[in-house]
Amino acid sequence: MQIPFNADEINLIYQFGERSKAETCASLSAILPQIKDSDTKQIVSDTLKKLNTLSEKTCAELTATTKRRKLTERDHSIKTRLAKAREQAKQPTVAEGKQHKTHSKGKGDMEL
């Protein structure tokens, strides 16, 4: 039987996941009293309940997989942003594209 974890629960596992199920649950339990928002408190409680139904091995695998996936996503995001920045650096800027014009006295100019 698989237990589905939503995105918020996965983020909690990524942030508070430890090497063992007991350590992960202890980390989540420790933050529970400080949470003021009822929705966030419910998410943490639901995550704890789901983790407690898992075996030690399954919980450790879930935590390790979640951490690897999140780090891969982060690294990919960084690489993507760096590639975009490199491309933008190759493009001429607006200032480089304009030619500087000298101002000459015209119809509305005054000489002091």
Side-chain angles (χ1 to χ4, degrees), residues 7 13 18 38 46 48 72 94 100:
I13 292 168
E18 301 290 341
S38 62
D46 291 345
L48 274 166
T72 300
V94 174
H100 298 287

Side-chain angles (χ1 to χ4, degrees), residues 8-22:
D8 291 329
E9 294 164 342
I10 291 295
N11 286 333
L12 283 171
I13 292 168
Y14 170 66
Q15 291 177 324
F16 296 96
E18 301 290 341
R19 290 197 178 269
S20 72
K21 175 180 165 179

Side-chain angles (χ1 to χ4, degrees), residues 8 12 35-46:
D8 291 329
L12 283 171
I35 299 171
K36 304 287 185 236
D37 179 67
S38 62
D39 291 337
T40 304
K41 190 171 268 210
Q42 188 62 51
I43 293 166
V44 174
S45 294
D46 291 345

